[in-house]
Amino acid sequence: MTTEAPTTRRDPYDGFEGSIGRTFADSRPAWPAERRAAEGAPNIVVVLVDDMGYSDIGPFGAEIATPVLDSVAESGVRLTNYHTMPLCSPARAALLTGLNPHRVGYAMVANADPGFPGYGMEIAEDIPTLAETLHGAGYATYAVGKWHLARDSSSNAADDRRNWPLQKGFDQYYGVLEGLTNLFHPHQLVRDNSPLDIDAFPEGYYYTDDITDQAIGMVKGLRAHDADKPFFLYLAHNAVHAPLQAKPADIARQRGRYADGWDEVRRHRFARQLADGLFPEGTALPPRNREAGEEVDAWDELPSEQRELAARYMEVYAAMVANIDENLGRLLAVIEAYGELDNTIVVFTSDNGGSGEGGAEGTRSYFSRFAHHPRLPEDWRPDVERDPELIGGPRSMVHYPRGWAMASNTPFRLYKRHTYAGGVRVPFLLSWPRGLPRAEGGTGDNGLRHAYQYVTDLAPTLLELAGVARPAELHGRAVQEEDGTAFVPVLRDPAAASTHPEQYCEMTGNRSYYRDGHKIVTVHRPGAPYDDSEWALYDIRTDSTEVRDLAAARPEVVKELAAAWEEAAWRNGVFPLPGPGGAMVRRGPGEARLERPVTLLPGTPELERYRSSRLTAFRSFTVTVRLARHGAADQGVLVSHGDQGGGYSLYVEEGRLRLAYNEYSALHEADAGPLPAGARTVELAAAAEPGLRWQFAVRVDGEERPALPGSVHQLIGMAPFQGISVGLDRKSPVSWPVHLRHGVFRYSGELASVTYRPGEVGPDAPEVVAAALREAAAAFE
């Protein structure tokens, strides 16, 4: 007896609404219904700035000229009480999905993988993004700029790309997948699903201009092919995230504007905010931030040299803000040229508050300042000397001092990473002249909206305004429910109540809970217990700047809101909370393959940053360069890894082999002697030593050659920020003097291969330190 196998073959005529005969003559054609958006559906432009504080644009009190944003505010509304997450990736996940970030898997930035659900760093198949929903409703969908929703280990060309922009609903993408980049020399640009292999950028290149050009090109391309199709454009700037870099002409326009310092700028901004009605009279401007490790010094008490340097940093930051405004004007002018600006929803906001990562003094060596390690040696240098004229240009990796971050976040306390308002309360503008004319709010409507709203509310709000329903299913699965609630009533009526009465927040142990005007909040110290003694309590209705702590006077409210936080944390996947055991440095077992030896052949595209770092970070390593042909006149770069923020390169110039080591912008160079014609191998060996140092050795055909005279600090954290290149030094160079003489300095001989062999991890490797921390924690318990 035989059993016929079940078939999965589909009848080709099944569901066809015409009729089929043997010939065209006796058949009737039919076509599937075209998927089109509703007639008159608005375009949507969401502009998301990185690390911009509450007061950094004109409509929220800034002295920085932002005429384009002023006009957006004049035609639309300002949400004065809009909140977000205090860090990049979680805010973006919440904005694009309408779900709380821990539920999506983004408890922090997408540069970790400790192995828990809240840290999965992937948007699941049953969570539709705003782009997917709008695309399904007939919208063209475009994204440019910062993504930061793909885990760093999955940002390379070998990844399956399931969490890249095109797989999350966008038709086209151009930008940087990671959280930051060099604005003069972006470290890895991606177009759609492909990293771009770029050797050098044209003279005058600037990334913010470039992504705006790309966005404009996408709109023009759409209109050339379809005059009616609405579009959703997600324009996510990397500016104003460090390293702070701006065009010389833009910096020149800000010269001398910040000599009075952050205290004076903060006072002036707050006065403008009060005069404009952003806060009621009687609102208190808090004292300078004074929490341990976050303190800001009085400007007038700083040495004059420090004041002059700090003012330069802020000039660069202001230039970046003004450039964003100018570029938005270019984009909106194109939309206006098509006669569509009145029917375009424009949203402008920030992912989180201003960043205090520059420390008390600021830095010209951002990757050194940003290095977080419990065993940083005493001689670690978080800054370098730089000619003041280089500050803000391609040769400096600048971040401003946290005093300026305090001014950016005027009038609120603390910074990015904190759950106090300085980290989570940001500017928000929304304009849609045709759909939300100001008159709908009644005569005398000044466009201010004081109702509390949260970042998860933006996606449902935009869908409601566009008349698009969120799908019930995605990829054959029921979709997860949203946490956000549309705030369309608030947009239409200044007297409308908040649609979001309560919200939890957590970021690296910092916590808060908001309910109907009351907020409990912590500044968590690593290693401290997570108990109710951490909570402060504020009545945001009368104390929006979080000055008067009511915890001691209202313990019953603290207890109630703490219990609500606990319940919300379990419901949203917040646990486990980070502790002192070093769990955050753990990576999944699949990453072990990134630490195997790798051979790079000539013509290999630049190895992606994170992939490159796994070969060298916190460990000994060797680099073996095999030469197929080297003549007496041949010269150029054999291998390079890194950029102006830190890196190393081996190159041949005028017959001599040289090693350049860029120690967080401090350049060391060594002459390793002649490289004779016919040489076959050049080897660079780095030995990891205690104190986060490397001792380098250079060998030619097995012969030991001179190298750097002593050990140097290892490149850790985000350095080297640019990946490995063979046969040239791409984009931002390791050695600026070599770049001035030769550009990318392509090797003129013939390389056979470059092989990286990772060695033993050093004594200060995170996994070694974490193991020690876990042992100490276990002993303590």
Side-chain angles (χ1 to χ4, degrees):
M1 179 178 178
T2 61
T3 303
E4 188 173 324
T7 180
T8 56
R9 186 184 185 92
R10 182 175 62 83
D11 182 348
Y13 304 116
D14 186 35
F16 179 64
E17 295 183 357
S19 61
I20 301 295
R22 296 191 73 246
T23 67
F24 270 41
D26 54 8
S27 302
R28 179 173 54 83
W31 291 268
E34 187 178 5
R35 184 177 60 191
R36 301 288 295 183
E39 185 176 351
N43 303 316
I44 300 172
V45 176
V46 173
V47 182
L48 184 65
V49 185
D50 198 355
D51 288 3
M52 174 181 279
Y54 186 87
S55 71
D56 280 333
I57 59 174
F60 282 80
E63 71 293 331
I64 305 168
T66 54
V68 176
L69 291 170
D70 293 348
S71 67
V72 172
E74 184 62 31
S75 65
V77 297
R78 286 175 282 176
L79 269 62
T80 67
N81 201 6
Y82 172 82
H83 289 67
T84 180
M85 281 291 287
L87 212 56
C88 310
S89 302
R92 291 156 202 275
L95 185 152
L96 286 173
T97 66
L99 274 69
N100 288 326
H102 294 84
R103 284 183 62 207
V104 192
Y106 292 86
M108 64 173 300
V109 289
N111 299 80
D113 185 20
F116 301 109
Y119 298 81
M121 309 300 175
E122 289 188 352
I123 301 174
E125 294 277 292
D126 58 355
I127 301 176
T129 67
L130 181 59
E132 286 174 302
T133 299
L134 289 170
H135 190 274
Y139 272 70
T141 52
Y142 306 125
V144 297
K146 172 173 172 172
W147 183 239
H148 212 193
L149 291 172
R151 192 186 304 116
D152 50 12
S153 59
S154 64
S155 296
N156 61 77
D159 189 68
D160 63 12
R161 296 164 167 80
R162 65 178 177 269
N163 221 49
W164 289 26
L166 264 61
Q167 283 62 247
K168 293 302 168 185
F170 289 101
D171 293 319
Q172 292 180 250
Y173 170 70
Y174 179 88
V176 172
L177 294 176
E178 287 202 277
L180 61 127
T181 199
N182 184 315
L183 300 188
F184 292 105
H185 303 108
H187 66 294
Q188 186 189 58
L189 284 171
V190 171
R191 185 182 297 281
D192 298 335
N193 269 335
S194 300
L196 299 179
D197 193 16
I198 296 171
D199 291 347
F201 291 96
E203 189 74 23
Y205 175 90
Y206 189 63
Y207 174 78
T208 307
D209 297 343
D210 183 18
I211 61 173
T212 304
D213 288 341
Q214 298 293 328
I216 289 171
M218 291 172 184
V219 172
K220 288 181 175 179
L222 174 66
R223 285 295 166 257
H225 293 88
D226 192 319
D228 304 313
K229 190 172 190 177
F231 61 85
F232 166 47
L233 171 63
Y234 175 56
L235 201 172
H237 287 285
N238 285 79
V240 287
H241 195 294
L244 307 181
Q245 296 173 313
K247 296 187 292 187
D250 290 340
I251 297 174
R253 283 190 281 272
Q254 305 296 331
R255 280 285 183 253
R257 300 193 66 196
Y258 294 98
D260 288 343
W262 46 66
D263 291 327
E264 199 65 21
V265 166
R266 187 170 179 244
R267 281 192 287 268
H268 281 254
R269 289 187 177 188
F270 185 52
R272 282 190 288 269
Q273 291 170 338
L274 291 176
D276 214 18
L278 273 68
F279 302 98
E281 289 296 335
T283 301
L285 181 65
R288 281 184 297 273
N289 292 328
R290 56 193 178 209
E291 289 78 5
E294 310 294 350
E295 307 94 334
V296 174
D297 294 327
W299 178 266
D300 291 342
E301 295 175 6
L302 299 177
S304 59
E305 302 83 8
Q306 190 174 341
R307 292 199 302 267
E308 183 177 344
L309 180 59
R312 288 274 185 157
Y313 293 150
M314 187 59 190
E315 291 168 0
V316 178
Y317 183 89
M320 296 171 74
V321 173
N323 177 263
I324 288 171
D325 185 79
E326 177 187 330
N327 274 297
L328 179 59
R330 293 199 299 124
L331 171 65
L332 298 185
V334 170
I335 298 173
E336 174 67 23
Y338 288 113
E340 299 179 26
L341 191 55
D342 276 358
N343 198 32
T344 297
I345 300 170
V346 177
V347 173
F348 182 95
T349 189
S350 177
D351 61 348
N352 47 249
S355 166
E357 293 159 345
E361 302 86 17
T363 184
R364 292 151 289 184
S365 179
Y366 175 61
F367 296 129
S368 177
R369 172 73 71 182
F370 195 57
H372 301 297
H373 193 284
R375 294 183 183 174
L376 285 181
E378 290 185 2
D379 65 345
W380 190 268
R381 294 186 298 171
D383 195 10
V384 296
E385 291 294 328
R386 271 289 180 270
D387 182 331
E389 294 306 311
L390 298 179
I391 290 174
R395 295 181 60 182
S396 64
M397 302 289 124
V398 165
H399 199 7
Y400 64 9
R402 58 178 174 248
W404 288 123
M406 178 186 68
S408 288
N409 296 332
T410 303
F412 304 123
R413 295 172 56 185
L414 295 173
Y415 325 99
K416 169 185 176 180
R417 297 183 300 107
H418 294 104
T419 48
Y420 271 80
V424 299
R425 198 160 167 179
V426 293
F428 185 97
L429 304 174
L430 188 148
S431 172
W432 183 22
R434 181 180 297 180
L436 293 169
R438 182 72 66 77
E440 281 194 28
T443 58
D445 181 5
N446 61 6
L448 294 177
R449 303 291 186 268
H450 301 298
Y452 176 98
Q453 299 297 157
Y454 192 62
V455 60
T456 54
D457 302 336
L458 183 56
T461 298
L462 292 174
L463 292 178
E464 183 173 327
L465 292 176
V468 173
R470 190 168 182 260
E473 292 187 350
L474 184 69
H475 307 298
R477 301 174 61 184
V479 302
Q480 294 195 44
E481 66 179 22
E482 288 177 297
D483 295 300
T485 51
F487 52 82
V488 175
V490 171
L491 296 175
R492 297 194 183 279
D493 181 1
S498 166
T499 64
H500 200 114
E502 56 188 293
Q503 180 63 43
Y504 85 93
C505 189
E506 185 276 332
M507 177 55 54
T508 60
N510 294 320
R511 297 165 290 151
S512 71
Y513 199 87
Y514 171 87
R515 176 184 284 171
D516 290 330
H518 284 95
K519 177 183 177 182
I520 55 171
V521 60
T522 72
V523 177
H524 181 71
R525 297 297 169 199
Y530 291 102
D531 59 33
D532 285 357
S533 67
E534 285 195 306
W535 294 116
L537 170 67
Y538 302 98
D539 186 340
I540 303 303
R541 297 167 298 183
T542 58
D543 180 22
S544 60
T545 53
E546 300 169 343
V547 173
R548 297 183 293 275
D549 182 4
L550 306 175
R554 303 287 304 277
E556 75 284 358
V557 178
V558 173
K559 184 176 181 180
E560 174 190 338
L561 296 185
W565 185 92
E566 192 83 5
E567 180 183 351
W570 283 114
R571 190 166 185 265
N572 286 278
V574 174
F575 296 116
L577 292 169
M584 289 303 297
V585 305
R586 296 174 187 158
R587 291 282 180 155
E591 287 208 17
R593 68 180 182 276
L594 302 181
E595 299 176 1
R596 297 198 300 252
V598 62
T599 295
L600 307 173
L601 301 181
T604 300
E606 180 181 303
L607 206 61
E608 185 270 331
R609 178 200 69 80
Y610 185 78
R611 174 70 179 94
S612 297
S613 74
R614 294 303 85 200
L615 302 170
T616 65
F618 297 104
R619 67 191 327 136
S620 301
F621 64 93
T622 59
V623 186
T624 303
V625 180
R626 300 195 180 280
L627 304 172
R629 176 185 56 80
H630 178 72
D634 286 326
Q635 61 178 2
V637 173
L638 304 177
V639 62
S640 68
H641 182 190
D643 54 24
Q644 279 292 284
Y648 56 90
S649 68
L650 274 174
Y651 65 97
V652 186
E653 186 178 36
E654 296 181 351
R656 303 186 74 82
L657 177 65
R658 299 180 184 273
L659 168 64
Y661 187 78
N662 188 319
E663 188 182 34
Y664 301 102
S665 301
L667 185 62
H668 308 272
E669 298 205 62
D671 184 341
L675 187 64
R680 306 300 294 174
T681 64
V682 175
E683 186 175 86
L684 175 69
E689 298 180 344
L692 288 166
R693 303 189 76 86
W694 275 323
Q695 182 74 53
F696 280 101
V698 176
R699 290 179 278 272
V700 175
D701 291 334
E703 176 194 354
E704 201 78 23
R705 292 293 188 87
L708 300 176
S711 62
V712 290
H713 289 129
Q714 294 177 25
L715 299 171
I716 64 173
M718 298 300 288
F721 192 62
Q722 207 166 278
I724 296 167
S725 291
V726 298
L728 75 168
D729 189 354
R730 292 180 168 97
K731 295 171 284 195
S732 178
V734 170
S735 169
W736 198 265
V738 171
H739 171 74
L740 288 178
R741 296 194 295 269
H742 303 288
V744 301
F745 206 16
R746 192 178 297 274
Y747 179 57
S748 61
E750 185 179 341
L751 285 173
S753 64
V754 173
T755 299
Y756 272 75
R757 292 184 177 84
E760 293 296 318
V761 297
D764 302 305
E767 52 266 46
V768 175
V769 175
L773 288 172
R774 285 194 294 273
E775 290 175 9
F780 177 77
E781 291 168 358

